[in-house]
Amino acid sequence: MPKVLFLTTSHNYNDDRIFHHQAKALKEFGYDVKICSLYEEYKGNMEGIEIESYAVLEESIQKKTETFQDVCLKFLPDCIICSEPLAVVAVKDFVRDKKISCIYDITEWYPSMSMIREYRFPTTIFQTIKFSLIQIYAGFLSTHFIFGESTKKFPLAYLFGLKKQTILPYYPDPVYIKENIKELEPGTVSLCYTGQISKDKGIGNFFNIVRKIHEKAPELKVQTIIIGSTRQKSDEAYFSKLLNENTFADIELRKPTSFEKFTEVFADADFCFDLREINFENNHSLPIKLFYFMGAGKPVIYSNLKGIRQHMGKLSFGSLVDPRNSDQIAEIVINYTRNPDLYRSHAINAITEFKEKYNWTIIRNAFIDFVKKSIDK
């Protein structure tokens, strides 16, 4: 029975991509699977998958490296799947000595803006170069690549073009999706924002839309559902300011829920929004939530991101917009309220495309085959 070990520094051991999709799929196909995360302390067995997780995220690089190395020596995997450069670098000697495959699963832009934000100019330049070189070094050490989206293939896919690689999007397993197509109620519309609450992720743009709809269609009752939380004090202050400035709005704040029940928490919403700022990092992303919104049957209004356009083209279940053009976006929402048949057709399109093109069952076997071939090399 081949052994596969997942290593991650910044994702939890029960991460939706790592645990609920990749690890479970490998287990179902007969692999012996283990996950090691440095995010939270936990040791046990979940659905036949061994978990050995440590809360050492704030510890030194040496401590993190030694933790991964110890887990490798105890488990003796035939394949290691790493989610971050540190994991790849930590196991380089083990991979070389045992002549096993090391798959680098690249799902985040590296270095991310959040990594650079804490530094001041000109230190930001040097840190960006340093982190970029670490990324390239991890690419050099890896034997295979998995890219979460094609826009994240740069630079590794081009620097190491001879290495085996595949695209594995963030499609959800239908088992985690609850369909709920709404019928628009006359005179009422419910708008939903989910995820990290910050200026960068578009909470300010979202409030601008609510305000603009009130101005353009005062007879329309606008209900707003905000699901998520802030991560930094600056985000908390920014969000509090927005709430104080928009006391006219009917706002319901909901706490984040577990991954398995994500689509249930916004089931009563009519539309789902993601109006993140179009900066370099965001523009090259393919937001995971988009596919959950689709599966649930929710028409969406998203920032016009290159990652979405390149992967999906024009949306048949919503609109790609300039997130700062509140006039245009408000008109889109108002038009839906006046054309319920259009709304229903887009909701049906969302579910249809999810079932036919964008769910995990469609790409699961390709992932299993890629891992198998990396072991059989």
Side-chain angles (χ1 to χ4, degrees):
M1 181 184 297
K3 293 183 175 182
V4 178
L5 173 64
F6 288 86
L7 299 179
T8 177
T9 58
S10 58
H11 294 85
N12 210 332
Y13 58 84
N14 61 349
D15 174 78
D16 59 346
R17 179 177 175 90
I18 296 173
F19 177 79
H20 288 283
H21 291 88
Q22 295 178 343
K24 282 187 176 180
L26 289 168
K27 182 63 182 178
E28 289 171 7
F29 276 75
Y31 289 75
D32 188 359
V33 184
K34 183 170 185 172
I35 298 173
C36 177
S37 167
L38 306 184
Y39 189 82
E40 184 180 356
E41 193 77 25
Y42 179 84
K43 293 177 182 63
N45 190 291
M46 297 174 60
E47 300 186 42
I49 298 167
E50 186 180 354
I51 309 294
E52 187 172 344
S53 183
Y54 298 89
V56 295
L57 190 58
E58 303 303 323
E59 300 285 345
S60 67
I61 291 177
Q62 181 179 352
K63 175 67 174 178
K64 297 173 186 176
T65 299
E66 290 174 351
T67 301
F68 282 147
Q69 291 172 344
D70 289 344
V71 171
C72 283
L73 290 172
K74 286 187 293 184
F75 187 62
L76 297 176
D78 301 295
C79 171
I80 302 175
I81 302 178
C82 301
S83 299
E84 296 87 14
L86 175 61
V88 177
V89 176
V91 300
K92 61 182 176 63
D93 292 338
F94 183 90
V95 170
R96 181 196 61 215
D97 296 342
K98 301 297 183 181
K99 295 181 172 56
I100 67 169
S101 59
C102 178
I103 302 174
Y104 184 12
D105 185 11
I106 301 138
T107 60
E108 307 290 343
W109 189 264
Y110 193 94
S112 66
M113 291 178 63
S114 60
M115 295 172 64
I116 305 299
R117 190 178 295 132
E118 62 185 79
Y119 300 100
R120 294 183 179 181
F121 183 84
T123 308
T124 52
I125 298 175
F126 298 106
Q127 290 297 327
T128 300
I129 294 173
K130 183 186 78 172
F131 288 133
S132 297
L133 290 175
I134 293 172
Q135 171 80 327
I136 293 171
Y137 184 47
F140 170 75
L141 295 173
S142 306
T143 62
H144 298 69
F145 297 129
I146 293 176
F147 296 100
E149 55 213 85
S150 58
T151 47
K152 291 199 173 83
K153 291 175 68 175
F154 179 83
L156 300 186
Y158 306 97
L159 292 175
F160 308 104
L162 296 180
K163 294 188 178 185
K164 299 294 184 182
Q165 57 185 263
T166 188
I167 302 289
L168 190 75
Y170 314 104
Y171 301 163
D173 191 319
V175 71
Y176 302 120
I177 303 295
K178 180 180 180 181
E179 294 182 13
N180 195 312
I181 294 181
K182 292 285 299 297
E183 296 289 341
L184 287 182
E185 298 181 16
T188 301
V189 65
S190 177
L191 316 180
C192 182
Y193 175 102
T194 69
Q196 182 181 342
I197 297 175
S198 69
K199 183 177 182 180
D200 175 62
K201 297 302 181 183
I203 187 64
N205 295 329
F206 178 72
F207 272 105
N208 288 340
I209 305 313
V210 176
R211 189 183 304 109
K212 187 62 66 171
I213 294 173
H214 274 287
E215 293 174 4
K216 289 177 170 288
E219 76 285 355
L220 194 62
K221 182 181 179 181
V222 183
Q223 299 173 331
T224 59
I225 301 170
I226 298 176
I227 307 164
S229 60
T230 58
R231 293 185 181 178
Q232 299 181 5
K233 289 184 178 180
S234 58
D235 295 332
E236 185 176 348
Y238 178 70
F239 185 46
S240 296
K241 183 172 180 289
L242 289 174
L243 291 176
N244 291 331
E245 292 173 348
N246 293 275
T247 53
F248 65 89
D250 181 3
I251 303 171
E252 181 181 353
L253 303 180
R254 298 180 183 176
K255 293 182 180 180
T257 187
S258 64
F259 157 77
E260 297 92 331
K261 296 183 178 181
F262 177 59
T263 56
E264 296 179 23
V265 77
F266 60 82
D268 54 339
D270 297 322
F271 299 94
C272 289
F273 284 75
D274 191 316
L275 299 174
R276 64 186 66 190
E277 295 292 334
I278 305 181
N279 52 45
F280 182 83
E281 185 175 322
N282 286 340
N283 197 35
H284 287 79
S285 69
L286 179 63
I288 300 173
K289 292 181 298 182
L290 176 61
F291 303 107
Y292 289 84
F293 297 155
M294 289 178 65
K298 302 299 179 183
V300 302
I301 298 177
Y302 255 81
S303 295
N304 188 14
L305 306 178
K306 178 181 178 181
I308 298 177
R309 295 197 310 271
Q310 190 167 315
H311 192 80
M312 306 177 73
K314 185 178 179 180
L315 300 185
S316 68
F317 54 94
S319 301
L320 296 178
V321 299
D322 175 352
R324 297 191 177 189
N325 191 338
S326 55
D327 270 306
Q328 177 201 16
I329 300 170
E331 288 294 345
I332 292 172
V333 175
I334 294 169
N335 183 54
Y336 273 119
T337 65
R338 295 169 180 170
N339 295 274
D341 289 341
L342 174 66
Y343 175 85
R344 181 164 181 79
S345 70
H346 280 199
I348 293 173
N349 288 346
I351 289 178
T352 300
E353 289 206 27
F354 173 75
K355 290 180 176 179
E356 295 180 354
K357 300 179 182 179
Y358 302 113
N359 73 79
W360 174 245
T361 59
I362 294 172
I363 60 175
R364 180 181 56 188
N365 287 356
F367 165 68
I368 298 295
D369 187 56
F370 186 77
V371 175
K372 181 179 183 299
K373 287 180 178 179
S374 79
I375 297 174
D376 296 340
K377 62 183 183 302

